[in-house]
Amino acid sequence: MSVSRNTLIADIKEIIVSSRDRAIRQVDHERTLMYWRIGQRIYEEEQQGKDRADYGEYLTSMVAEQLAPDYGSGFSKRQIELSRQFFRTFPIANTLYSQLSWSQYKVLVRIDSQDKRDFYVAEAVKNNWTVRQLERQINSSLWERLLLSNDRQDVLAVARDEKLPSDA
């Protein structure tokens, strides 16, 4: 093959790969929005209930019982509860990042501090962290280390894999 054919094929392969990546991200963002809307709908329904705690427990169980047989484990009681918690944690749909997956949001919802959660959202988006990388940074207490550090740039450089921990 000539050089121009090699370039042509390489360019077309890049188009295919980048299109697939964008399609996967778009599908995952739609899934994230779906869970957000489910959480919103359940939360709105709960607010009409008389005894909120008991009604909320009944509601998530009932919804899961009705949806799981048709739609699978993505609609278990735990997932329905996560959807409700997701909506309550991120109540404005426009603030959801298309760069973050539903799996990443499930990790972020467990963070109890708004500032800490905002930090991890920003870092995950900026650094294009995978779910595993996000979990690793949370489990390694990156937020807390930054708060205690005199040299925050070094700590961030380690988090971004720009430096080894021994260099910081």
Side-chain angles (χ1 to χ4, degrees), residues 20-33:
R20 282 182 180 165
D21 289 347
R22 283 194 313 277
I24 289 168
R25 282 184 189 248
Q26 187 60 39
V27 166
D28 198 63
H29 185 63
E30 284 300 319
R31 182 172 70 146
T32 300
L33 290 173

Side-chain angles (χ1 to χ4, degrees), residues 46-47 49-60 84:
E46 281 179 336
Q47 296 311 298
K50 303 290 183 253
D51 186 349
R52 290 185 184 150
D54 291 341
Y55 186 61
E57 184 68 24
Y58 162 77
L59 189 59
T60 56
R84 179 183 62 199

Side-chain angles (χ1 to χ4, degrees), residues 82-148:
L82 260 173
S83 296
R84 179 183 62 199
Q85 185 180 0
F86 180 45
F87 170 75
R88 292 187 70 184
T89 305
F90 296 92
I92 302 168
N94 292 343
T95 63
L96 301 177
Y97 290 88
S98 62
Q99 299 95 318
L100 298 179
S101 68
W102 170 238
S103 297
Q104 288 169 307
Y105 275 112
K106 289 192 303 186
V107 171
L108 292 164
V109 161
R110 290 184 259 155
I111 298 173
D112 55 1
S113 159
Q114 181 69 43
D115 289 339
K116 184 176 177 180
R117 187 172 33 255
D118 290 345
F119 167 78
Y120 283 113
V121 166
E123 289 299 310
V125 169
K126 182 171 38 174
N127 297 299
N128 200 27
W129 286 343
T130 64
V131 177
R132 283 195 178 123
Q133 289 170 320
L134 174 61
E135 287 176 326
R136 188 185 73 202
Q137 297 301 347
I138 292 169
N139 292 336
S140 72
S141 303
L142 174 61
W143 167 253
E144 292 79 3
R145 287 184 292 133
L146 274 175
L147 291 178
L148 296 172

